[in-house]
Amino acid sequence: MRLCQASHITDLLLPKYVQACEKLNPGLVDRVIDEVSGEVGDALSYRYPQPWPHVPELVRYIVAAIGAYRVIGAITSLMKTEATSENEWIPIQKQWKYATELLEDIVRGRQKLPLEEAHPDREDPSVAVMSRPPLFDLRGL
């Protein structure tokens, strides 16, 4: 299941960068979308079983941000460092970092999606277990 479209990646990058990437490596954007969609889907599959009735906007953003980072990373090594203030890839680096943190929060259950959870971390709070006190005190033995 593809969790975003090429247009979502183009929204995060300038179209000329996407065109340059496609010129150097035809089909790169589609392959990256398939890769990242699979990885994100696998990461969320324990908590949110698939197929989903719709793709939440938060998941779409996560896939697009990680995908845009990988598309640019496939053609340049300049984005590996934030050492210079003239690095034009800093905004996409920050979006990638934010998206990976969001994904981790969703996987750990700190952030919720508008989907049915299969394996929530907490038990239903309406159930309480009560037991009577022990009949014999065996602490002194």
Side-chain angles (χ1 to χ4, degrees):
M1 172 182 217
R2 292 184 83 167
L3 302 177
C4 83
Q5 304 300 322
S7 62
H8 297 113
I9 289 182
T10 307
D11 289 343
L12 296 175
L13 299 172
L14 292 174
K16 68 177 185 175
Y17 291 133
V18 176
Q19 290 169 357
C21 294
E22 283 291 323
K23 184 178 178 184
L24 291 173
N25 192 344
L28 175 67
V29 174
D30 288 330
R31 286 193 308 274
V32 166
I33 290 172
D34 290 339
E35 254 178 42
V36 176
S37 293
E39 291 170 12
V40 170
D42 288 348
L44 298 176
S45 65
Y46 177 75
R47 186 170 294 279
Y48 300 101
Q50 297 171 23
W52 299 333
H54 66 283
V55 178
E57 287 299 317
L58 187 59
V59 173
R60 188 179 317 268
Y61 168 74
I62 289 170
V63 172
I66 294 172
Y69 181 82
R70 288 188 186 176
V71 165
I72 292 300
I75 66 163
T76 183
S77 62
L78 295 176
M79 62 184 292
K80 301 264 190 254
T81 180
E82 294 180 16
T84 64
S85 62
E86 297 174 9
N87 186 349
E88 63 185 274
W89 303 118
I90 290 177
I92 197 67
Q93 288 172 329
K94 288 181 180 180
Q95 287 189 3
W96 170 80
K97 185 176 181 180
Y98 177 66
T100 53
E101 289 170 357
L102 274 176
L103 180 60
E104 183 178 327
D105 287 347
I106 295 169
V107 168
R108 295 184 187 268
R110 292 185 291 233
Q111 175 83 27
K112 302 289 183 195
L113 292 177
L115 298 169
E116 184 73 27
E117 285 189 72
H119 304 285
D121 289 339
R122 292 184 280 156
E123 295 178 10
D124 185 12
S126 64
V127 177
V129 177
M130 309 261 309
S131 66
R132 57 185 172 166
L135 193 56
F136 300 102
D137 184 15
L138 300 176
R139 281 183 274 166
L141 294 178

